[in-house]
Amino acid sequence: MSRSLVELPINDKAHVRHAPLLGMTFSALEHEFSEIGLTRLDAKRVFPWIHMKCASSFDVMTDVPHKIRSVLNERFSLERPKCCNLQKSSDGTQKALLEFADGHQIETVFIPEEKRNTVCLSAQVGCAMECKFCNTGRQQFSRNLTASEIMAQVFFWKDLLLESAEQKSLTNLVFMGMGEPMLNSESLFSALELLLGEKTHNFSRNKVTVSTAGVIEADLLKLAQFGVKLAISLHAPNDAKRSELMPINRKYGIETILNAAKEYLRLSNTEHVTFEYLLLYGVNDSDDDARQLAKLLANIHCKVNLIMFNSWSGSIFTGSSRARADAFLSILLSKGVRTIIRKSRGDDILAACGQLKTLRNQMPNFDSM
Ligand code: SF4
């Protein structure tokens, strides 16, 4: 028997927590609704408004009875995060600094291209992984993002694109922003369910990529069930160099990573795993490094993305020259490893991970939107 609609006493209204709905899966929404006497039918009416029509207010849900909309207004929230800064690069890349209700800030980037529009999403506030070359790694880990906060980044760009005259839509998503997604797998998996769902955001599985620094735990195999693409930040051709650059390598070494990559391919039915490799001058960019890397990857269906390093103030590393990158690329290609040099985007707005947040913290008069 369904419970009757729970109305809040007037005095309680000021204290009620507005539960965020942006990251709630249908089953979670149905459960929340049932707790206050709303039905499955109510959930079925509200859910498409949130995800297919991107409603930012309950008042626009015209097929939801007025009395129920009042309850939704009292109990739940569709609130988007505050945008503290939005920068646009000369190449069209946009980077936003978003602030959540508790004051924590994260970055998200929109990268338009001729045939696709990609959004880069953050999974945590700060990062605990301490990769030596990364600006975010210098910022202390604060907390995981909730599924609603991950989804809020997608809603932020969808709202912005809807308002713009250009009529662009999002096609690709990459979890390559702040934080390590595999250390926030519960929120990641809820967000993926919404992002991939046919009746929600309907992103194609092969256009969603989750990137990990190499956190090889059981959840990686759960991720495979979503069938999304996996990218692994490798950045070195042997354990000695990798452990210097990425402390996580002391826990999960290269052999563990490569075995997990093969298992991921088998379970996810994806075509290849991508290995990200940041070219650092004099550190990991020699001909010998390239040969070692080719040998490591010889038996894996993979693609290597070579990345030119975007230097930041205080970094101890310098990027390799273009000539060195080309030589590194040639060696990998000659050994049969599919490799590209990834095109750098948004250099003039410091689009590398962690740079907008750091810059804002250093600049008290940063313009707000
Ligand atoms: S590269 Fe990724 S995992 Fe490493 S510190 Fe930066 S955000 Fe964290």
Side-chain angles (χ1 to χ4, degrees):
M1 194 163 56
S2 77
R3 297 167 58 183
S4 61
L5 200 58
V6 178
E7 288 195 36
L8 289 171
I10 299 286
N11 288 343
D12 285 353
K13 287 186 179 176
H15 304 292
V16 76
R17 174 184 143 263
H18 285 79
L21 292 188
L22 297 186
M24 226 178 254
T25 59
F26 182 77
S27 53
L29 183 76
E30 196 185 354
H31 175 75
E32 283 277 332
F33 274 22
S34 71
E35 293 282 298
I36 56 167
L38 296 180
T39 65
R40 180 178 168 83
L41 180 63
D42 296 326
K44 277 188 160 177
R45 281 202 187 111
V46 170
F47 200 61
W49 278 104
I50 301 172
H51 296 287
M52 297 186 90
K53 299 183 187 170
C54 292
S56 56
S57 152
F58 297 111
D59 299 327
V60 301
M61 300 181 180
T62 44
D63 60 346
V64 177
H66 195 266
K67 192 175 177 187
I68 292 176
R69 277 189 260 159
S70 300
V71 174
L72 295 177
N73 272 315
E74 285 170 1
R75 300 268 182 173
F76 299 107
S77 158
L78 297 170
E79 198 180 343
R80 276 50 170 169
K82 183 174 136 197
C83 180
C84 299
N85 187 266
L86 181 68
Q87 293 186 349
K88 190 165 185 177
S89 160
S90 54
D91 67 15
T93 300
Q94 295 185 62
K95 181 163 180 168
L97 182 68
L98 302 184
E99 183 172 296
F100 298 110
D102 64 358
H104 279 118
Q105 297 173 337
I106 55 96
E107 300 168 348
T108 173
V109 180
F110 170 69
I111 307 151
E113 289 170 282
E114 204 181 322
K115 291 191 177 154
R116 62 184 179 185
N117 296 309
T118 304
V119 162
C120 178
L121 299 165
S122 291
Q124 297 180 312
V125 183
C127 187
M129 305 297 281
E130 298 182 344
C131 302
K132 296 289 181 287
F133 48 79
C134 173
N135 206 6
T136 299
R138 290 198 312 170
Q139 296 162 25
Q140 276 194 338
F141 170 74
S142 299
R143 66 171 176 81
N144 280 333
L145 295 185
T146 63
S148 283
E149 289 167 339
I150 293 176
M151 290 302 299
Q153 298 168 63
V154 177
F155 281 101
F156 170 78
W157 291 114
K158 281 195 167 183
D159 290 349
L160 208 67
L161 293 176
L162 272 176
E163 284 165 18
S164 82
E166 294 167 86
Q167 295 294 306
K168 286 185 175 136
S169 57
L170 304 184
T171 57
N172 292 51
L173 299 172
V174 292
F175 283 83
M176 292 185 183
M178 295 172 75
E180 165 55 52
M182 295 314 298
L183 290 181
N184 186 15
S185 51
E186 193 180 329
S187 298
L188 172 70
F189 294 164
S190 295
L192 284 176
E193 190 177 326
L194 292 167
L195 293 167
L196 300 172
E198 271 178 38
K199 293 187 176 165
T200 42
H201 295 262
N202 202 19
F203 280 95
S204 161
R205 277 157 218 287
N206 60 19
K207 295 192 172 168
V208 176
T209 303
V210 174
S211 175
T212 176
V215 175
I216 310 301
E217 293 181 4
D219 279 345
L220 196 62
L221 304 183
K222 284 193 200 155
L223 178 70
Q225 292 165 12
F226 286 95
V228 294
K229 286 167 58 179
L230 178 67
I232 299 177
S233 300
L234 197 60
H235 305 319
N238 57 54
D239 282 319
K241 286 193 181 187
R242 192 165 189 271
S243 294
E244 282 296 311
L245 294 172
M246 304 177 75
I248 184 69
N249 196 69
R250 294 186 195 119
K251 189 166 181 190
Y252 306 108
I254 290 180
E255 191 182 345
T256 308
I257 289 175
L258 298 183
N259 287 337
K262 287 178 192 161
E263 187 64 357
Y264 188 89
L265 284 170
R266 191 179 70 77
L267 293 172
S268 65
N269 222 9
T270 47
E271 276 180 9
H272 63 262
V273 166
T274 300
F275 290 103
E276 308 284 348
Y277 196 101
L278 190 63
L279 288 167
L280 301 169
Y281 170 72
V283 175
N284 64 358
D285 66 346
S286 70
D287 289 354
D288 189 46
D289 290 323
R291 283 191 286 268
Q292 281 186 53
L293 184 61
K295 201 169 165 193
L296 274 184
L297 303 182
N299 296 317
I300 299 186
H301 289 286
C302 70
K303 208 177 95 185
V304 174
N305 278 350
L306 298 176
I307 306 165
M308 305 303 287
F309 181 58
N310 242 337
S311 197
W312 39 271
S313 163
S315 164
I316 55 172
F317 299 107
T318 311
S320 308
S321 66
R322 183 66 202 208
R324 182 87 296 270
D326 287 340
F328 201 94
L329 171 75
S330 297
I331 291 172
L332 289 174
L333 290 176
S334 71
K335 306 270 180 200
V337 182
R338 281 172 67 197
T339 310
I340 57 160
I341 298 177
R342 200 163 75 193
K343 206 169 147 196
S344 180
R345 298 294 303 263
D347 289 352
D348 54 335
I349 56 162
L350 302 165
C353 179
Q355 294 190 332
L356 187 57
K357 185 162 184 265
T358 310
L359 190 65
R360 181 179 163 79
N361 290 341
Q362 292 165 356
M363 297 179 68
N365 295 323
F366 215 71
D367 287 338
S368 295
M369 259 194 85

